[in-house]
Amino acid sequence: VSHMMNQASRNYDKNEQDEPIFYSFTQFEIPQSVPKLSDEQALNLYLYGNYDWDLINFSISDPDNFKYYLYRNKLKEISEKIFKSKTDILIHSDLGNGKTLFLLGLANILRSRGVNVFMFNRYFDNITESEIDTICKMKGRTVIMLESYASHFNIVETLKVFKNDDVSFVFTERTMINDTVYIDLESKYFDKEYTTVNLNKLSGEEIDSLIKMFDYYGFWGDLSKYPDYKKKAFINEKCNSEIRLLLLEILRSPDIQKRFSDIINKISLKKGHLNAFLLILASNLFDFRIDLDELVYLLDDELLNNPSFNKNPDLGEVIDFQSGIIKCKSSIISESIISQLDSQKVFIDVLVKVVKKLDNRRFDSNSKLILRSIISFSRLQRVLNVKNEYKQNLLTFFEEIKNLEHTRKNPHFWLQYAIARLSLRDYDAADVYFKNAYSFAEARSGFDTFQIDNHMARHILESEINFGIKETCMQQFLKAHNILANPHDKNKNRHYPFKVARLYFNFYERFFNDLDNTDKVIFLRSCVEILNRIESYKKFVEESGIRREVEDCFNALTQIVTKEHSYLDRKVG
């Protein structure tokens, strides 16, 4: 939570003299003085992630005079649900698509209606639990906000203990993580119906508002000459209706790239500062928190305790040193800077060093969280897959850490390594590593192999589509299909099986005409089985939360079944 919000809270003239002081939470208050809005502040918000709490408040209440905050359509609906129905809310989006700003807007609307609003900031032993107790006992309606809930299940558990009927929770998480853990949240911590909000896509109305905002401040750069309809098409098509992708496009302008390049060059002149800078960016991209003591420990560099580090004006351009937690001001900035490094090997070297250091304290719960965050193929791919050296950097990372105590017998590590090999179409190595993942998972009581299963199904299908033969293709197909269509699967409201089942269309194009009639019938009935599972899945998920991959799968398999429907009436055998 930003320094500005804390400052606003401290400066607020409270009526009660004995108000409690909170350390683990930030309490939101409505500002009393009118702020001044400048072009620089708008630039800081949209391109550098440095927001101003006071300006957000006035932008919501007086948008004509304070063109600053992008009002998301779902704010009104969600604030009404909380205010009238005391509903719990789960918000998710990909990195950089607006979770934090949505929370700030929601906090403003609720606070203006007299609701007590708190956001979890940082855990303190022997303090956090008593603060939660105090907050939950406050008079009137109360909302407690928690970002990155999957990293704070201990806080979620404590919140549930002290919750009463006047308290609502608002939790946020990155979409990718939420997809794998929200069932735990739902089954263990939510004791009533809750509302899910997906912020990944901008609506048409929100895109129109964003275009006007960027026109007003002149943010378009090379796109400035385009009429509004072309800008809208650019956002919809090139940027997939995501604010993150739009901002990354704008950050690719030569002027901004040169600015970042100059920052990197200046930081590199001081010993140890570049590694520290890259680790702070990594903490933002891989979603873990870090303070100065942790930074010194992980990099084994006492010189970082010198004021020349946190007072470095070049670092201060993109790093926030104001609170106890050191962080990059913007995930978009983090992603853009890493993509512009001359060589990303230096970034990989930092990650490897951190993983090896954390291996020494692998039983510590916070270290486990950081290790799991870093050892993630999807996150590494997103950061690294912009350079020609991508393949070598990816393999270097996994090869360097595979024999650590934390990774050697860890099913999560071998799954991630298998996925990396699969992405590079190294099917033989992937096969071995999937078997490693299953073997080590078997040795762990109660380990859920759901993720391994789905990636294994993808491995089987991809390998057969690329290198298989008609004599073995149906045998391999049915191996994969039995995983994806498992009737005993407890994860019926997850989209991953359908994401993989899109490969049925590739299998159809590659092999269908070579199959005998019996196998054709079996294949088509398998497609129907997946289509029926999609129909069941849709009953569990709000329409706005249905993933594009699910619709793609449904459309592809429907196309197959429609075209070949005559086989479905035939008997098998």
Side-chain angles (χ1 to χ4, degrees), residues 535-549:
E535 293 293 353
S536 297
Y537 161 86
K538 288 182 176 180
K539 294 176 183 176
F540 283 100
V541 182
E542 291 185 11
E543 186 176 349
S544 62
I546 295 173
R547 298 287 291 255
R548 180 175 177 178
E549 297 96 325

Side-chain angles (χ1 to χ4, degrees), residues 383-556:
V383 174
L384 300 176
N385 197 14
V386 290
K387 296 280 187 180
N388 293 332
E389 58 189 1
Y390 159 69
K391 177 178 178 179
Q392 188 53 53
N393 284 331
L394 190 66
L395 295 182
T396 295
F397 175 76
F398 284 104
E399 288 170 2
E400 287 282 330
I401 66 172
K402 68 178 183 294
N403 283 311
L404 300 177
E405 289 299 321
H406 175 76
T407 57
R408 189 179 299 134
K409 298 181 180 180
N410 188 333
H412 171 73
F413 168 80
W414 289 107
L415 170 61
Q416 300 306 312
Y417 198 1
I419 297 170
R421 288 289 186 177
L422 181 56
S423 76
L424 300 173
R425 297 195 172 189
D426 188 351
Y427 296 111
D428 291 339
D431 196 60
V432 173
Y433 298 156
F434 275 119
K435 288 175 181 175
N436 288 353
Y438 274 119
S439 180
F440 291 126
E442 211 174 289
R444 295 192 179 190
S445 177
F447 190 94
D448 186 356
T449 61
F450 173 77
Q451 285 184 292
I452 304 176
D453 294 338
N454 279 278
H455 286 290
M456 184 63 178
R458 176 190 155 204
H459 166 56
I460 293 168
L461 288 170
E462 276 194 18
S463 181
E464 200 62 22
I465 289 164
N466 286 301
F467 299 110
I469 56 177
K470 64 181 180 180
E471 287 78 12
T472 61
C473 66
M474 275 306 290
Q475 179 186 0
Q476 293 300 97
F477 171 80
L478 288 173
K479 270 189 197 177
H481 178 71
N482 289 336
I483 293 172
L484 301 176
N486 177 10
H488 305 296
D489 180 15
K490 66 180 180 181
N491 302 291
K492 291 181 180 178
N493 47 352
R494 294 185 179 181
H495 74 280
Y496 288 103
F498 313 122
K499 184 176 180 179
V500 178
R502 291 179 301 174
L503 289 168
Y504 286 17
F505 191 84
N506 303 72
F507 184 91
Y508 166 78
E509 291 188 315
R510 172 86 159 78
F511 292 113
F512 189 80
N513 290 334
D514 294 328
L515 300 179
D516 62 34
N517 285 343
T518 297
D519 282 342
K520 285 180 178 178
V521 173
I522 292 172
F523 173 76
L524 290 168
R525 288 183 180 176
S526 299
C527 291
V528 171
E529 199 170 352
I530 295 295
L531 288 170
N532 290 336
R533 285 203 71 177
I534 291 177
E535 293 293 353
S536 297
Y537 161 86
K538 288 182 176 180
K539 294 176 183 176
F540 283 100
V541 182
E542 291 185 11
E543 186 176 349
S544 62
I546 295 173
R547 298 287 291 255
R548 180 175 177 178
E549 297 96 325
V550 179
E551 295 293 359
D552 289 346
C553 179
F554 184 83
N555 294 335

